[in-house]
Amino acid sequence: MSAAPVDGAAVLDQVRDFVSRFNAFPDEHCAPMLALWYAHTWAAEHFYITPRLVLSSAEPASGKTRVLEVAQFLVKAPEMTFSATSAALFRMVGAGPITILFDEVDAIFDTKGGGNEDLRALVNAGYKRSATVARCKGDAGNMVIERFPVYAPAALAGIAGRMPDTITTRAITVHMRRRKGDEKVEQFRERRVDEESTPIREALAAWMDAVGERVGAAYPEVPESVTDRSAEIWEPLLAIAEIAGGHWPETARAACTHFVSAAQTNPVSDRIRLLADLRGLFTDRGVTRMSTVEILAVLHSMDEAPWGDFHGKPLTARQLAAELNAYGVKVTTYKSSGKSFKGYVIDGETGLGDAWARYLPAEVKEVAP
């Protein structure tokens, strides 16, 4: 006699509600996203990619470790680690499916740390199922190349700003915050969490075992504003939500739009930040050209931007030109009120408009769940 089919929407609801008991998340999209991410670990072998989950915060004691502690009772084959050696982690990933839960991972990406290139390579490349990392093995007289499979789901917790672009652009990032005094969560008691999570984990595993091949072959509906790599990393979670049914397809697309929008409004490099700030400046003033002197004055006055203290001193005209030149944007001489100015314009082959269109996202409007 075959077992009754599992209600996927109900299982995801249980996972969402369970994780919400132990963390005060920054918004309503976090817990549903985590439920979908935990579910995808049970079917990762059916997907071409596994999105990295990044838990960042400006300061310690913001709930990142608690998310990982709860996750280890809900994901497939959890491997909770703080300081695994590269050799150990390579072999654990190669030996079978695991889910890496890596706390304080910012230490391996700290430029002062050094010596962790193997771990960086594993985390960087392991989001794609076909990825391997080649390493030499043996002595000088009998050297062979060994290719290690590195594909594995990975959740990475660390201090904000210390993870490289190669990770964050492959990740769904939750910017955790410290709880306020009036934000209450349940105490984490490992034995109780283990007991109470067991039936939820078993139901999640059973459901994903039943639908894994279907979600792996699915082409889910992706929000129109989400494209390229952002669409790629969200496809597994959206596919799971569509199979679950109920409110989950709509909830997942709202979460997708939210997280992609948040990532786009937090530029991943100084140059992208500069382009975004310039677009905002030109748009706010309603102009199509501005002098370098005027641009720098405004950039230096932006309190939360790096331009007033750019590598130890205010951004200079020479530095501005060098940063923009990387995008083909050139200084232009133009006339206004009979005077000549050197500055930047929007239109033309060497204008800012082309760079904005190529490197900045269009405005993303969030979809209500």
Side-chain angles (χ1 to χ4, degrees), residues 42-326:
W42 293 94
E45 69 271 20
H46 297 295
F47 297 115
Y48 284 93
I49 67 101
T50 170
R52 271 58 185 107
L53 172 63
V54 168
L55 305 162
S56 73
S57 68
E59 298 291 342
S62 299
K64 303 184 301 295
T65 299
R66 179 69 74 241
V67 174
L68 297 184
E69 289 174 333
V70 176
Q72 67 183 320
F73 294 99
L74 295 166
V75 301
K76 182 176 183 178
E79 190 63 48
M80 185 88 165
T81 183
F82 293 84
S83 58
T85 66
S86 57
L89 206 51
F90 270 86
R91 282 162 176 79
M92 284 189 288
V93 172
I98 65 169
T99 301
I100 302 168
L101 305 175
F102 211 137
D103 204 0
E104 300 180 8
V105 74
D106 50 297
I108 75 170
F109 300 127
D110 192 334
T111 55
K112 296 179 181 179
N116 288 302
E117 290 306 312
D118 283 345
L119 282 175
R120 292 167 65 105
L122 185 151
V123 176
N124 280 341
Y127 88 109
K128 187 161 287 189
R129 192 170 71 186
S130 59
T132 61
V133 173
R135 290 292 180 267
C136 294
K137 187 177 180 180
D139 55 36
N142 190 29
M143 190 71 68
V144 296
I145 302 295
E146 185 171 355
R147 290 176 173 81
F148 291 91
V150 291
Y151 178 68
L156 314 168
I159 299 299
R162 297 183 185 174
M163 295 189 198
D165 301 349
T166 52
I167 298 298
T168 56
T169 56
R170 295 171 168 88
I172 301 168
T173 299
V174 180
H175 299 285
M176 300 294 291
R177 302 176 300 188
R178 285 185 181 174
R179 284 190 293 120
K180 295 188 294 185
D182 60 350
E183 291 180 316
K184 304 299 182 183
V185 297
E186 291 187 29
Q187 291 295 310
F188 181 82
R189 297 289 182 265
E190 189 160 340
R191 186 175 67 176
R192 176 175 292 178
V193 171
D194 189 8
E195 293 171 351
E196 295 180 357
S197 65
T198 295
I200 301 174
R201 181 178 64 252
E202 291 176 349
L204 185 60
W207 176 54
M208 291 309 300
D209 183 62
V211 302
E213 290 188 9
R214 290 169 58 199
V215 294
Y219 291 94
E221 180 184 346
V222 180
E224 185 177 348
S225 59
V226 178
T227 59
D228 301 326
R229 180 167 285 170
S230 295
E232 179 185 54
I233 66 173
W234 268 93
E235 276 193 357
L237 308 194
L238 294 171
I240 292 170
E242 288 192 357
I243 292 290
H247 69 88
W248 278 97
E250 190 174 0
T251 296
R253 285 192 291 272
C256 172
T257 303
H258 167 79
F259 282 105
V260 171
S261 176
Q264 292 172 343
T265 55
N266 290 278
V268 297
S269 72
D270 284 340
R271 282 177 177 165
I272 293 295
R273 172 67 184 267
L274 180 59
L275 283 181
D277 285 348
L278 288 174
R279 184 171 70 174
L281 171 57
F282 275 69
T283 301
D284 289 345
R285 299 204 170 192
V287 297
T288 60
R289 58 190 184 182
M290 286 185 69
S291 71
T292 300
V293 172
E294 188 176 8
I295 289 172
L296 288 174
V298 177
L299 291 178
H300 294 164
S301 70
M302 294 180 174
D303 291 336
E304 296 183 2
W307 316 123
D309 184 14
F310 191 64
H311 304 302
K313 62 181 181 180
L315 181 72
T316 66
R318 184 183 296 271
Q319 289 172 321
L320 176 64
E323 297 295 323
L324 294 177
N325 186 59

